[in-house]
PDB file of all heavy atoms in Angstrom:
ATOM      1  N   VAL T  82      -3.723   6.657   4.095  1.00  0.00           N
ATOM      2  CA  VAL T  82      -4.194   7.653   5.061  1.00  0.00           C
ATOM      3  C   VAL T  82      -3.110   8.709   5.185  1.00  0.00           C
ATOM      4  O   VAL T  82      -1.932   8.375   5.381  1.00  0.00           O
ATOM      5  CB  VAL T  82      -4.495   7.013   6.423  1.00  0.00           C
ATOM      6  CG1 VAL T  82      -4.886   8.080   7.445  1.00  0.00           C
ATOM      7  CG2 VAL T  82      -5.604   5.980   6.287  1.00  0.00           C
ATOM      8  N   VAL T  83      -3.489   9.974   5.058  1.00  0.00           N
ATOM      9  CA  VAL T  83      -2.511  11.053   5.029  1.00  0.00           C
ATOM     10  C   VAL T  83      -2.671  11.948   6.254  1.00  0.00           C
ATOM     11  O   VAL T  83      -3.780  12.170   6.743  1.00  0.00           O
ATOM     12  CB  VAL T  83      -2.636  11.867   3.714  1.00  0.00           C
ATOM     13  CG1 VAL T  83      -4.026  12.440   3.557  1.00  0.00           C
ATOM     14  CG2 VAL T  83      -1.607  12.974   3.648  1.00  0.00           C
ATOM     15  N   ASP T  84      -1.551  12.453   6.736  1.00  0.00           N
ATOM     16  CA  ASP T  84      -1.521  13.319   7.910  1.00  0.00           C
ATOM     17  C   ASP T  84      -0.309  14.228   7.775  1.00  0.00           C
ATOM     18  O   ASP T  84       0.534  14.046   6.888  1.00  0.00           O
ATOM     19  CB  ASP T  84      -1.421  12.453   9.174  1.00  0.00           C
ATOM     20  CG  ASP T  84      -1.473  13.273  10.443  1.00  0.00           C
ATOM     21  OD1 ASP T  84      -2.529  13.864  10.713  1.00  0.00           O
ATOM     22  OD2 ASP T  84      -0.459  13.313  11.157  1.00  0.00           O
ATOM     23  N   SER T  85      -0.222  15.229   8.631  1.00  0.00           N
ATOM     24  CA  SER T  85       0.880  16.179   8.561  1.00  0.00           C
ATOM     25  C   SER T  85       1.307  16.604   9.954  1.00  0.00           C
ATOM     26  O   SER T  85       0.473  16.782  10.843  1.00  0.00           O
ATOM     27  CB  SER T  85       0.466  17.408   7.748  1.00  0.00           C
ATOM     28  OG  SER T  85       1.449  18.412   7.795  1.00  0.00           O
ATOM     29  N   MET T  86       2.613  16.798  10.124  1.00  0.00           N
ATOM     30  CA  MET T  86       3.152  17.306  11.383  1.00  0.00           C
ATOM     31  C   MET T  86       3.539  18.771  11.270  1.00  0.00           C
ATOM     32  O   MET T  86       4.146  19.339  12.182  1.00  0.00           O
ATOM     33  CB  MET T  86       4.353  16.460  11.816  1.00  0.00           C
ATOM     34  CG  MET T  86       3.992  15.010  12.070  1.00  0.00           C
ATOM     35  SD  MET T  86       5.395  13.974  12.567  1.00  0.00           S
ATOM     36  CE  MET T  86       5.453  14.304  14.338  1.00  0.00           C
ATOM     37  N   GLY T  87       3.214  19.414  10.151  1.00  0.00           N
ATOM     38  CA  GLY T  87       3.541  20.819   9.970  1.00  0.00           C
ATOM     39  C   GLY T  87       3.316  21.250   8.539  1.00  0.00           C
ATOM     40  O   GLY T  87       3.033  20.420   7.654  1.00  0.00           O
ATOM     41  N   PRO T  88       3.432  22.536   8.243  1.00  0.00           N
ATOM     42  CA  PRO T  88       3.085  23.061   6.921  1.00  0.00           C
ATOM     43  C   PRO T  88       3.967  22.563   5.787  1.00  0.00           C
ATOM     44  O   PRO T  88       3.575  22.640   4.617  1.00  0.00           O
ATOM     45  CB  PRO T  88       3.219  24.580   7.097  1.00  0.00           C
ATOM     46  CG  PRO T  88       4.114  24.768   8.277  1.00  0.00           C
ATOM     47  CD  PRO T  88       3.835  23.618   9.176  1.00  0.00           C
ATOM     48  N   ASP T  89       5.153  22.041   6.101  1.00  0.00           N
ATOM     49  CA  ASP T  89       6.069  21.556   5.069  1.00  0.00           C
ATOM     50  C   ASP T  89       6.359  20.068   5.233  1.00  0.00           C
ATOM     51  O   ASP T  89       7.462  19.594   4.936  1.00  0.00           O
ATOM     52  CB  ASP T  89       7.373  22.360   5.092  1.00  0.00           C
ATOM     53  CG  ASP T  89       7.149  23.815   4.707  1.00  0.00           C
ATOM     54  OD1 ASP T  89       6.387  24.055   3.750  1.00  0.00           O
ATOM     55  OD2 ASP T  89       7.711  24.707   5.366  1.00  0.00           O
ATOM     56  N   HIS T  90       5.363  19.332   5.702  1.00  0.00           N
ATOM     57  CA  HIS T  90       5.530  17.903   5.971  1.00  0.00           C
ATOM     58  C   HIS T  90       4.240  17.154   5.664  1.00  0.00           C
ATOM     59  O   HIS T  90       3.144  17.648   5.924  1.00  0.00           O
ATOM     60  CB  HIS T  90       5.918  17.695   7.454  1.00  0.00           C
ATOM     61  CG  HIS T  90       5.952  16.267   7.876  1.00  0.00           C
ATOM     62  ND1 HIS T  90       4.861  15.609   8.398  1.00  0.00           N
ATOM     63  CD2 HIS T  90       6.957  15.355   7.842  1.00  0.00           C
ATOM     64  CE1 HIS T  90       5.187  14.370   8.688  1.00  0.00           C
ATOM     65  NE2 HIS T  90       6.451  14.188   8.361  1.00  0.00           N
ATOM     66  N   VAL T  91       4.386  15.986   5.078  1.00  0.00           N
ATOM     67  CA  VAL T  91       3.263  15.065   4.859  1.00  0.00           C
ATOM     68  C   VAL T  91       3.771  13.664   5.173  1.00  0.00           C
ATOM     69  O   VAL T  91       4.901  13.315   4.811  1.00  0.00           O
ATOM     70  CB  VAL T  91       2.772  15.102   3.395  1.00  0.00           C
ATOM     71  CG1 VAL T  91       1.717  14.027   3.158  1.00  0.00           C
ATOM     72  CG2 VAL T  91       2.209  16.466   3.045  1.00  0.00           C
ATOM     73  N   HIS T  92       2.964  12.871   5.864  1.00  0.00           N
ATOM     74  CA  HIS T  92       3.303  11.456   5.953  1.00  0.00           C
ATOM     75  C   HIS T  92       2.077  10.609   5.667  1.00  0.00           C
ATOM     76  O   HIS T  92       0.946  10.962   5.988  1.00  0.00           O
ATOM     77  CB  HIS T  92       3.996  11.061   7.259  1.00  0.00           C
ATOM     78  CG  HIS T  92       3.332  11.486   8.528  1.00  0.00           C
ATOM     79  ND1 HIS T  92       3.829  11.174   9.764  1.00  0.00           N
ATOM     80  CD2 HIS T  92       2.207  12.212   8.790  1.00  0.00           C
ATOM     81  CE1 HIS T  92       3.085  11.670  10.710  1.00  0.00           C
ATOM     82  NE2 HIS T  92       2.083  12.299  10.150  1.00  0.00           N
ATOM     83  N   LEU T  93       2.347   9.472   5.001  1.00  0.00           N
ATOM     84  CA  LEU T  93       1.316   8.544   4.560  1.00  0.00           C
ATOM     85  C   LEU T  93       1.465   7.233   5.297  1.00  0.00           C
ATOM     86  O   LEU T  93       2.592   6.794   5.598  1.00  0.00           O
ATOM     87  CB  LEU T  93       1.449   8.273   3.059  1.00  0.00           C
ATOM     88  CG  LEU T  93       1.314   9.464   2.119  1.00  0.00           C
ATOM     89  CD1 LEU T  93       1.625   9.020   0.693  1.00  0.00           C
ATOM     90  CD2 LEU T  93      -0.082  10.043   2.201  1.00  0.00           C
ATOM     91  N   PHE T  94       0.322   6.596   5.533  1.00  0.00           N
ATOM     92  CA  PHE T  94       0.303   5.290   6.187  1.00  0.00           C
ATOM     93  C   PHE T  94      -0.662   4.398   5.424  1.00  0.00           C
ATOM     94  O   PHE T  94      -1.698   4.851   4.934  1.00  0.00           O
ATOM     95  CB  PHE T  94      -0.144   5.423   7.644  1.00  0.00           C
ATOM     96  CG  PHE T  94       0.765   6.269   8.487  1.00  0.00           C
ATOM     97  CD1 PHE T  94       0.658   7.655   8.494  1.00  0.00           C
ATOM     98  CD2 PHE T  94       1.755   5.679   9.264  1.00  0.00           C
ATOM     99  CE1 PHE T  94       1.506   8.442   9.272  1.00  0.00           C
ATOM    100  CE2 PHE T  94       2.605   6.463  10.041  1.00  0.00           C
ATOM    101  CZ  PHE T  94       2.479   7.839  10.044  1.00  0.00           C
ATOM    102  N   ALA T  95      -0.327   3.120   5.340  1.00  0.00           N
ATOM    103  CA  ALA T  95      -1.206   2.165   4.661  1.00  0.00           C
ATOM    104  C   ALA T  95      -0.837   0.755   5.102  1.00  0.00           C
ATOM    105  O   ALA T  95       0.285   0.503   5.587  1.00  0.00           O
ATOM    106  CB  ALA T  95      -1.077   2.293   3.145  1.00  0.00           C
ATOM    107  N   ARG T  96      -1.764  -0.130   4.949  1.00  0.00           N
ATOM    108  CA  ARG T  96      -1.473  -1.557   5.107  1.00  0.00           C
ATOM    109  C   ARG T  96      -0.744  -2.018   3.847  1.00  0.00           C
ATOM    110  O   ARG T  96      -1.125  -1.668   2.729  1.00  0.00           O
ATOM    111  CB  ARG T  96      -2.768  -2.329   5.303  1.00  0.00           C
ATOM    112  CG  ARG T  96      -2.608  -3.838   5.445  1.00  0.00           C
ATOM    113  CD  ARG T  96      -3.970  -4.500   5.485  1.00  0.00           C
ATOM    114  NE  ARG T  96      -3.884  -5.938   5.696  1.00  0.00           N
ATOM    115  CZ  ARG T  96      -3.743  -6.846   4.730  1.00  0.00           C
ATOM    116  NH1 ARG T  96      -3.669  -6.440   3.462  1.00  0.00           N
ATOM    117  NH2 ARG T  96      -3.700  -8.127   5.017  1.00  0.00           N
ATOM    118  N   GLY T  97       0.322  -2.774   4.021  1.00  0.00           N
ATOM    119  CA  GLY T  97       1.020  -3.341   2.882  1.00  0.00           C
ATOM    120  C   GLY T  97       0.420  -4.684   2.491  1.00  0.00           C
ATOM    121  O   GLY T  97      -0.441  -5.233   3.182  1.00  0.00           O
ATOM    122  N   GLN T  98       0.899  -5.225   1.387  1.00  0.00           N
ATOM    123  CA  GLN T  98       0.437  -6.542   0.949  1.00  0.00           C
ATOM    124  C   GLN T  98       0.814  -7.631   1.947  1.00  0.00           C
ATOM    125  O   GLN T  98       0.224  -8.713   1.948  1.00  0.00           O
ATOM    126  CB  GLN T  98       1.045  -6.859  -0.419  1.00  0.00           C
ATOM    127  CG  GLN T  98       0.499  -6.001  -1.557  1.00  0.00           C
ATOM    128  CD  GLN T  98      -0.889  -6.418  -1.993  1.00  0.00           C
ATOM    129  OE1 GLN T  98      -1.155  -7.605  -2.211  1.00  0.00           O
ATOM    130  NE2 GLN T  98      -1.798  -5.462  -2.134  1.00  0.00           N
ATOM    131  N   ASP T  99       1.807  -7.352   2.809  1.00  0.00           N
ATOM    132  CA  ASP T  99       2.217  -8.318   3.831  1.00  0.00           C
ATOM    133  C   ASP T  99       1.394  -8.219   5.099  1.00  0.00           C
ATOM    134  O   ASP T  99       1.644  -8.942   6.067  1.00  0.00           O
ATOM    135  CB  ASP T  99       3.701  -8.142   4.150  1.00  0.00           C
ATOM    136  CG  ASP T  99       4.051  -6.727   4.638  1.00  0.00           C
ATOM    137  OD1 ASP T  99       3.133  -5.877   4.711  1.00  0.00           O
ATOM    138  OD2 ASP T  99       5.230  -6.477   4.940  1.00  0.00           O
ATOM    139  N   GLY T 100       0.418  -7.298   5.137  1.00  0.00           N
ATOM    140  CA  GLY T 100      -0.484  -7.191   6.281  1.00  0.00           C
ATOM    141  C   GLY T 100      -0.005  -6.260   7.371  1.00  0.00           C
ATOM    142  O   GLY T 100      -0.746  -5.996   8.321  1.00  0.00           O
ATOM    143  N   GLN T 101       1.226  -5.731   7.283  1.00  0.00           N
ATOM    144  CA  GLN T 101       1.709  -4.837   8.326  1.00  0.00           C
ATOM    145  C   GLN T 101       1.529  -3.372   7.906  1.00  0.00           C
ATOM    146  O   GLN T 101       1.192  -3.068   6.753  1.00  0.00           O
ATOM    147  CB  GLN T 101       3.176  -5.118   8.657  1.00  0.00           C
ATOM    148  CG  GLN T 101       4.181  -4.779   7.578  1.00  0.00           C
ATOM    149  CD  GLN T 101       5.619  -4.970   8.048  1.00  0.00           C
ATOM    150  OE1 GLN T 101       6.007  -4.476   9.112  1.00  0.00           O
ATOM    151  NE2 GLN T 101       6.408  -5.712   7.272  1.00  0.00           N
ATOM    152  N   LEU T 102       1.755  -2.477   8.836  1.00  0.00           N
ATOM    153  CA  LEU T 102       1.675  -1.046   8.584  1.00  0.00           C
ATOM    154  C   LEU T 102       2.949  -0.559   7.918  1.00  0.00           C
ATOM    155  O   LEU T 102       4.062  -0.939   8.312  1.00  0.00           O
ATOM    156  CB  LEU T 102       1.472  -0.299   9.906  1.00  0.00           C
ATOM    157  CG  LEU T 102       1.396   1.232   9.812  1.00  0.00           C
ATOM    158  CD1 LEU T 102       0.095   1.659   9.144  1.00  0.00           C
ATOM    159  CD2 LEU T 102       1.527   1.861  11.194  1.00  0.00           C
ATOM    160  N   TRP T 103       2.784   0.323   6.907  1.00  0.00           N
ATOM    161  CA  TRP T 103       3.914   0.939   6.234  1.00  0.00           C
ATOM    162  C   TRP T 103       3.734   2.457   6.255  1.00  0.00           C
ATOM    163  O   TRP T 103       2.615   2.963   6.295  1.00  0.00           O
ATOM    164  CB  TRP T 103       4.030   0.454   4.793  1.00  0.00           C
ATOM    165  CG  TRP T 103       4.508  -0.966   4.663  1.00  0.00           C
ATOM    166  CD1 TRP T 103       3.798  -2.104   4.942  1.00  0.00           C
ATOM    167  CD2 TRP T 103       5.804  -1.387   4.225  1.00  0.00           C
ATOM    168  NE1 TRP T 103       4.564  -3.220   4.709  1.00  0.00           N
ATOM    169  CE2 TRP T 103       5.814  -2.812   4.255  1.00  0.00           C
ATOM    170  CE3 TRP T 103       6.951  -0.723   3.807  1.00  0.00           C
ATOM    171  CZ2 TRP T 103       6.922  -3.561   3.888  1.00  0.00           C
ATOM    172  CZ3 TRP T 103       8.067  -1.470   3.423  1.00  0.00           C
ATOM    173  CH2 TRP T 103       8.053  -2.873   3.470  1.00  0.00           C
ATOM    174  N   GLN T 104       4.857   3.176   6.209  1.00  0.00           N
ATOM    175  CA  GLN T 104       4.855   4.634   6.259  1.00  0.00           C
ATOM    176  C   GLN T 104       5.777   5.210   5.182  1.00  0.00           C
ATOM    177  O   GLN T 104       6.812   4.628   4.851  1.00  0.00           O
ATOM    178  CB  GLN T 104       5.337   5.126   7.627  1.00  0.00           C
ATOM    179  CG  GLN T 104       5.402   6.658   7.764  1.00  0.00           C
ATOM    180  CD  GLN T 104       6.186   7.119   8.978  1.00  0.00           C
ATOM    181  OE1 GLN T 104       7.018   6.373   9.493  1.00  0.00           O
ATOM    182  NE2 GLN T 104       5.942   8.325   9.426  1.00  0.00           N
ATOM    183  N   LYS T 105       5.374   6.365   4.653  1.00  0.00           N
ATOM    184  CA  LYS T 105       6.189   7.112   3.700  1.00  0.00           C
ATOM    185  C   LYS T 105       5.992   8.593   4.002  1.00  0.00           C
ATOM    186  O   LYS T 105       4.883   9.002   4.354  1.00  0.00           O
ATOM    187  CB  LYS T 105       5.732   6.795   2.275  1.00  0.00           C
ATOM    188  CG  LYS T 105       6.466   7.526   1.165  1.00  0.00           C
ATOM    189  CD  LYS T 105       5.904   7.140  -0.207  1.00  0.00           C
ATOM    190  CE  LYS T 105       6.627   7.872  -1.326  1.00  0.00           C
ATOM    191  NZ  LYS T 105       6.159   7.465  -2.661  1.00  0.00           N
TER     192      LYS T 105
END
């Protein structure tokens, strides 16, 4: 799932194989 906090920013979120939330 992708989102942005501004025109020069992107952050991604996903469930990991361990079942928790991860961010990049």
Side-chain angles (χ1 to χ4, degrees):
V82 176
V83 58
D84 184 66
S85 173
M86 298 179 84
D89 294 318
H90 173 270
V91 174
H92 51 179
L93 299 174
F94 298 83
R96 178 186 183 273
Q98 291 284 312
D99 58 359
Q101 68 175 310
L102 179 70
W103 288 73
Q104 179 194 22
K105 179 181 180 177

